Amino acid sequence: MEQQQFERAGARVLVVDDDPTVAEVVSGYLDRAGYVVDRAGDGPDALARAAAHWPDLVVLDLMLPGMDGLEVCRRMRGRGPVPVIMLTARGDEDDRILGLEVGADDYVTKPFSPRELVLRVESVLRRARPAQPSGTLRAAGLSVDPAARRAAKNGAELALTVREFDLLAFLLRHPGRVFSREDLMREVWGWDFGDLSTVTVHVRRLRGKVEDDPARPRLIQTVWGVGYRFEGEA
């Protein structure tokens, strides 16, 4: 409990939703959980508030008037790294995958439990915080510093989301081993159940940043019918 309170202390969460009822309920739960909460009702307001007080995490509705959540996410990521949890009123898989493709770290489908959302916020923030020093991981031209949460390829820094960083670090720690999507969801996301397309999308995004030819991956290889394997000597 003390560790959870420490993680929440001072963490600023920006809640972006044009539905005032949803925004009020979400903000209330986050406030009671110990977070500093800002609210915005549309995309331009969200960008302005983020510029004034850069958030530690954004809870972002996909279906905003005018500038939708995907564009808000893109513009925020253009200004700097920030974890994003996407809210969507739709259950359509394409919408969820689209949110993950633009860099959302997690998503929650409406209607949702506010308590579950608070747990998702805690999970994403916990993984976004610097880890205890454990030494830099290196393989195949890649280097990952878990303490500083920085990654590079051939000396050039990689722009990774929270989940992409965690996924790469995990794979570098276990070269040559095959992990199913269920394994990765449990070990990287910390979930015992969930939409496995989340893992598929993040693997695809990560390949696009670390592979010389993402269409013919040599580092993060697919083991058909099983899962994925990192080839550290590739």
Side-chain angles (χ1 to χ4, degrees):
M1 179 64 69
E2 291 181 359
Q3 177 66 22
Q4 289 182 343
Q5 291 174 345
F6 173 77
E7 288 165 353
R8 297 168 182 169
R12 182 180 295 273
V13 179
L14 174 59
V15 177
V16 187
D17 199 307
D18 63 318
D19 185 329
T21 301
V22 172
E24 183 175 352
V25 170
V26 170
S27 299
Y29 270 81
L30 290 170
D31 179 71
R32 288 191 291 274
Y35 296 102
V36 177
V37 183
D38 290 334
R39 286 170 53 178
D42 57 37
D45 188 19
L47 296 175
R49 290 179 181 274
H53 299 284
W54 191 252
D56 295 294
L57 181 143
V58 181
V59 177
L60 178 61
D61 187 24
L62 176 64
M63 300 300 293
L64 293 172
M67 184 189 302
D68 65 18
L70 298 177
E71 182 62 22
V72 174
C73 186
R74 289 191 188 98
R75 295 195 185 190
M76 283 192 175
R77 283 284 163 75
R79 296 182 179 182
V82 60
V84 174
I85 296 179
M86 196 78 77
L87 301 180
T88 173
R90 306 178 186 176
D92 187 75
E93 183 178 358
D94 290 341
D95 290 321
R96 300 198 301 270
I97 290 177
L98 196 56
L100 295 171
E101 288 283 11
V102 299
D105 297 281
D106 199 355
Y107 66 86
V108 177
T109 303
K110 296 179 181 180
F112 57 86
S113 163
R115 291 182 180 179
E116 177 190 354
L117 179 59
V118 171
L119 292 175
R120 296 289 185 95
V121 169
E122 290 174 356
S123 173
V124 173
L125 280 176
R126 183 168 58 249
R127 292 176 179 273
R129 293 182 183 277
Q132 294 299 317
S134 59
T136 300
L137 305 168
R138 291 186 174 87
L142 297 171
S143 64
V144 173
D145 184 345
R149 291 195 70 85
R150 301 183 71 173
K153 176 183 178 182
N154 298 325
E157 189 161 356
L158 296 171
L160 303 179
T161 67
V162 172
R163 300 297 189 186
E164 289 166 359
F165 183 93
D166 291 340
L167 179 58
L168 180 60
F170 180 79
L171 292 173
L172 260 66
R173 289 190 180 100
H174 303 92
R177 287 184 55 184
V178 180
F179 293 96
S180 67
R181 292 189 300 170
E182 291 87 351
D183 293 334
L184 293 174
M185 178 158 283
R186 182 175 58 254
E187 298 295 336
V188 178
W189 276 257
W191 306 343
D192 289 324
F193 59 89
D195 185 350
L196 296 178
S197 65
T198 300
V199 177
T200 306
V201 170
H202 278 78
V203 168
R204 183 165 64 245
R205 284 180 54 85
L206 186 57
R207 280 173 169 164
K209 298 179 180 181
V210 305
E211 298 281 0
D212 293 330
D213 183 359
R216 296 177 177 82
R218 299 177 59 219
L219 298 175
I220 305 174
Q221 297 188 358
T222 298
V223 180
W224 295 108
V226 183
Y228 303 100
R229 176 180 61 227
F230 179 77
E231 290 293 344
E233 301 301 320

